Amino acid sequence: MKREDNLSEKSIQYVKGVGEQRAKLFRSLGVETVLDMLYFFPRDYEDRSRIVSIAQCREGETVCIRARAEVNPREQRIRKNFSMFRCAVSDATGMLPVLIFNQKYMAAKLERGQEYLFYGKITRSGREKQMTVTEIESSNQESKLCGRIVPKYHLVSGLTGKICMSIIRNCLSITEGQLEDVFSPEFRERYQLCEINFALEQIHFPKDAHSLALAKRRLAFEELFLLSTGLRMLRGNRQNVTVTPFLNTDCISEFTATLPYELTEAQQRVVREILTDLKQPRVMNRLVQGDVGSGKTAVAACAVFIAAKSGFQSVMMAPTEILARQHYASFQQFFAPFPEITCVLLTGKMKKKEKTAALEAARNGVSLIIGTHAVLSEELQISNLGLVITDEQHRFGVRQRAALAHGQETNMLVMTATPIPRTLALTLYGDLDLSVIDQLPPGRQVIKTYGVGEHMHDRTYNFLKKELDRGRQAYIICPLVDPSDVLEAEAVTEYAEKLQNRELANYHVGLLHGKLKEKDQIMEQFSTGELQVLISTTVVEVGVNVPNATVMIVENAERFGLSQLHQLRGRVGRGSFQSYCILICRSNSEIAHQRMEIMSKTNDGFVLAQKDMELRGIGEFFGTRQHGVPELKVANLFTDSGLIQSASNASSLVLSKDPDLSQKEHFYLKERIRRFFSYESKELVFN
Ligand code: ADP
Ligand code: MG
């Protein structure tokens, strides 16, 4: 029986025990329908399943006992608005006084001679053991709160765990174990998954630890499968697309010989992996992961060089105007010894005349077009496209990536500075092969990082001045005060003026923020050393390269995620000088301190990314709005690697047989994927 249709639509408001007020509260938690309610999973559990005898209770333990009330409870008033009920209870092994604080209604349940389950903490009073009770249940009804594993929910005020549990029980009784399963019985058997109705009941009200584990596994698999399948569908399955192979891959040494340094072993390995792909008639889909400063640009240049030598044009897309211009400058330098390899820049901010010239060059076979989102424009026609590189992938939405690939089956190289774990990469980029640049160029120093409080401002500025006097340069990153650009611009402007008039009066200080028109000019002045200090919002976060900069000061560091701080820190330590990162923290919270501590202890982007995701979840980590990646509730991307692998394989198998899930048996699956994604980003389109 298919009851799903009605149930997923059925508003939670009309479920027994909800009503208008509570429906509103649940809505604020993202729960609209009966199905949402069932997928509103506990954030944690309290294991109250261990029932012990009174003789076995140990002081300090929190346990359950099954015992009879020997007397009716007696109230002892301790002070105004604070009372305690006391009752002696017994089982076959002994007597125990139980104490109930303030909960008159709970005490009122107890009747002399009746048996109950008591859950609470064993304490000692003098030589006597006693129990401070948190829950009491009659022993002859089905236990809900004692003697079992009890769910805990993340709720808002106005809702309690008990209310939530009772509503979920009502939802379960409406569905009557008849919810449709996205997975067929054969599928479940193959991947060893329990059935959905069982899973949903057990995730809320586990019979025991084993059933809970089964439920979690099933639901985690489901999430990973929906995620993986949805992402693949968004991108289109490009794995078996054929393209013209690049024939001239052997001449790479001609290019590397002109570099002012030798490629690191890791860079060489990744270049080899890329060239091996490009030689094949199969399209390349490769993700290159490399920590900040690992030298991804040179690797990209190798690929562009080989494309050009094989007669193909390349496109490189950067997330910001500044970065596109910087890449443009780097590539012109890379290819200076090779006049036949030509580059143009194409950005949205360019003048019409320049743009027209760039588009013209693209049509006429220029080797490389570097730009921002402007390269996605339909105006850009490339006669012989062979390679598309996107830099700093995490800044782009899935959708844009799809758009870029759309209609242009070509080799794709995606470069990211956010070192995400292999397991996560597999889920998010299931169809990408992965290369890792796991080595920094030689001679890089560890950036000394200090987390300091506000009272250290003077010392920080003094230190900064010393470095400037030695000829070095510095960045100061200003807090993101408000998400609106205007206010942010004002805040950073005010801050800069203050510094310019006081502490840094004798230095050349520049200001950079998103609203500014002369961004490139200022960046240029900082690059050439004309400006000594760059006060900026996070627009410099990604990829900017000024090797003479040795100090990075971050104001209100507590507002940034670890990975973002790591990116910012990566702007210094790019030359041979010892570099410093000073994180000024205005929060005294435990978490803020913990984060500053992690930052000062490790320079490893991988470790930081992992910690960051643990602290914030993947949606936050990527900036869900930009990325369109739904939050996972059960699956853990760090510990469930086996499950991720198997969900990813399953997804690939299903799509290989039914690429757009148009078969009847996949109707419901497709619907669920749509829901799973639309929860976060309404604009994604599945066809
Ligand atoms: P990212 O991976 O963060 O994009 P970049 O490509 O900007 O890093 O490189 C960072 C710096 O390292 C640049 O100044 C670049 O010239 C330098 N670099 C890259 N590869 C090497 C190498 N093999 N040896 C020495 N320096 C290198
Ligand atoms: Mg880079």
Side-chain angles (χ1 to χ4, degrees), residues 64-255:
C64 232
I65 58 170
R66 186 190 303 276
R68 206 163 47 137
E70 289 298 319
V71 290
N72 286 323
R74 275 205 324 273
E75 179 169 6
Q76 294 176 354
R77 230 181 157 70
I78 294 179
R79 54 176 192 273
K80 199 165 178 243
N81 295 329
F82 191 75
S83 61
M84 181 185 84
F85 296 86
R86 200 184 161 88
C87 178
V89 305
S90 72
D91 67 7
T93 67
M95 290 269 279
L96 187 73
V98 300
L99 311 177
I100 304 164
F101 287 99
N102 272 341
Q103 311 211 50
K104 195 169 185 153
Y105 77 98
M106 193 188 278
K109 279 198 219 170
L110 291 180
E111 235 176 89
R112 183 175 158 197
Q114 298 296 319
E115 197 180 67
Y116 301 90
L117 284 168
F118 297 89
Y119 176 74
K121 184 164 182 176
I122 306 295
T123 52
R124 183 172 286 277
S125 153
R127 294 170 65 190
E128 206 185 31
K129 279 190 294 187
Q130 58 187 25
M131 177 187 257
T132 305
V133 165
T134 35
E135 203 60 65
I136 302 175
E137 242 175 10
S138 172
S139 169
N140 53 25
Q141 73 191 40
E142 190 206 352
S143 63
K144 287 181 176 158
L145 296 166
C146 296
R148 61 178 301 152
I149 300 171
V150 176
K152 290 172 132 181
Y153 297 91
H154 201 92
L155 295 167
V156 290
S157 99
L159 293 172
T160 66
K162 277 186 205 173
I163 294 173
C164 190
M165 282 167 73
S166 115
I167 291 168
I168 289 171
R169 278 184 201 281
N170 292 342
C171 290
L172 283 169
S173 70
I174 295 174
T175 57
E176 295 180 312
Q178 299 295 316
L179 278 182
E180 188 176 352
D181 201 322
V182 273
F183 302 134
S184 69
E186 301 77 49
F187 186 101
R188 292 199 302 267
E189 176 147 355
R190 175 163 188 173
Y191 297 100
Q192 296 175 358
L193 305 171
C194 67
E195 192 271 335
I196 187 64
N197 290 279
F198 175 83
L200 288 176
E201 168 143 25
Q202 295 302 314
I203 196 90
H204 292 289
F205 309 116
K207 205 164 62 195
D208 50 36
H210 177 66
S211 303
L212 178 58
L214 287 180
K216 277 187 179 168
R217 183 174 187 283
R218 143 82 207 217
L219 294 166
F221 186 100
E222 183 176 305
E223 275 182 347
L224 293 166
F225 180 85
L226 295 179
L227 177 65
S228 182
T229 312
L231 288 171
R232 277 170 216 248
M233 286 176 71
L234 275 173
R235 284 194 296 268
N237 202 339
R238 307 184 59 247
Q239 236 140 14
N240 296 314
V241 172
T242 54
V243 287
T244 319
F246 289 15
L247 297 175
N248 256 334
T249 53
D250 293 340
C251 62
I252 190 64
S253 54
E254 278 177 38
F255 174 65

Side-chain angles (χ1 to χ4, degrees), residues 259-265 267 290-299 326-327 330 334 391-392 415-417 437 440-442 444 543-547 570-571 574-575:
L259 293 174
Y261 43 74
E262 212 172 311
L263 291 182
T264 62
E265 268 173 44
Q267 282 171 314
D291 204 349
V292 185
S294 61
K296 293 185 289 294
T297 321
V299 169
Q326 189 180 293
H327 276 320
S330 310
F334 278 132
D391 191 17
E392 312 294 352
M415 304 201 296
T416 173
I437 310 180
L440 294 181
R444 287 280 158 77
V544 170
N545 191 29
V546 179
R571 297 311 109 214
R574 302 201 136 227

Side-chain angles (χ1 to χ4, degrees), residues 352-601:
K352 184 117 202 286
K353 213 166 111 196
E354 292 172 301
K355 232 191 247 178
T356 314
L359 292 170
E360 167 92 14
R363 267 197 305 278
N364 291 337
V366 70
S367 319
L368 173 64
I369 300 118
I370 298 178
T372 52
H373 293 55
V375 301
L376 297 176
S377 150
E378 277 171 23
E379 285 179 299
L380 178 63
Q381 282 163 14
I382 303 168
S383 43
N384 202 13
L385 182 65
L387 175 67
V388 172
I389 302 173
T390 47
D391 191 17
E392 312 294 352
Q393 159 62 22
H394 69 289
R395 282 293 188 94
F396 290 112
V398 189
R399 196 185 154 120
Q400 284 161 334
R401 227 145 62 77
L404 190 59
H406 177 72
Q408 308 206 307
E409 291 304 355
T410 192
N411 296 299
M412 299 260 288
L413 192 62
V414 177
M415 304 201 296
T416 173
T418 309
I420 52 182
R422 190 167 274 272
T423 49
L424 177 57
L426 188 71
T427 323
L428 296 182
Y429 316 108
D431 56 349
L432 295 186
D433 297 310
L434 189 59
S435 288
V436 186
I437 310 180
D438 50 4
Q439 184 182 21
L440 294 181
R444 287 280 158 77
Q445 281 144 2
V446 170
I447 299 159
K448 292 193 176 149
T449 304
Y450 307 93
V452 303
E454 254 186 300
H455 61 286
M456 299 281 277
H457 258 130
D458 287 343
R459 280 182 68 181
T460 305
Y461 293 136
N462 285 337
F463 174 77
L464 167 66
K465 284 191 270 188
K466 247 194 235 156
E467 279 291 299
L468 298 177
D469 292 339
R470 284 191 182 146
R472 303 286 83 80
Q473 289 167 278
Y475 299 92
I476 303 178
I477 304 299
C478 257
L480 206 136
V481 183
D482 191 278
S484 88
D485 288 351
V486 179
L487 285 176
E488 187 178 315
E490 274 173 17
V492 72
T493 309
E494 196 176 305
Y495 177 90
E497 274 168 9
K498 214 177 72 194
L499 269 189
Q500 248 162 334
N501 293 333
R502 294 191 216 158
E503 286 87 349
L504 300 179
N506 299 323
Y507 301 88
H508 300 290
V509 179
L511 172 63
L512 192 67
H513 58 73
K515 283 271 146 186
L516 224 56
K517 284 220 180 65
E518 322 77 56
K519 266 197 293 228
D520 305 318
Q521 235 170 304
I522 288 168
M523 208 53 230
E524 178 68 25
Q525 288 171 349
F526 187 64
S527 274
T528 56
E530 210 175 304
L531 289 174
Q532 294 168 285
V533 181
L534 189 65
I535 300 178
S536 171
T537 58
T538 52
V539 288
V540 296
E541 182 194 340
V542 179
V544 170
N545 191 29
V546 179
N548 189 45
T550 57
V551 184
M552 165 61 70
I553 297 171
V554 183
E555 289 281 355
N556 284 76
E558 73 280 0
R559 302 199 187 180
F560 297 97
L562 291 175
S563 291
Q564 208 178 1
L565 288 174
H566 184 61
Q567 287 279 338
L568 288 170
R569 177 167 64 184
R571 297 311 109 214
V572 296
R574 302 201 136 227
S576 50
F577 310 107
Q578 174 62 55
S579 297
Y580 308 87
C581 174
I582 301 166
L583 306 171
I584 301 175
C585 186
R586 281 167 211 248
S587 157
N588 271 323
S589 80
E590 184 59 32
I591 292 237
H593 280 289
Q594 219 175 316
R595 287 213 193 145
M596 297 310 128
E597 175 127 350
I598 298 170
M599 282 304 295
S600 44
K601 284 215 177 106

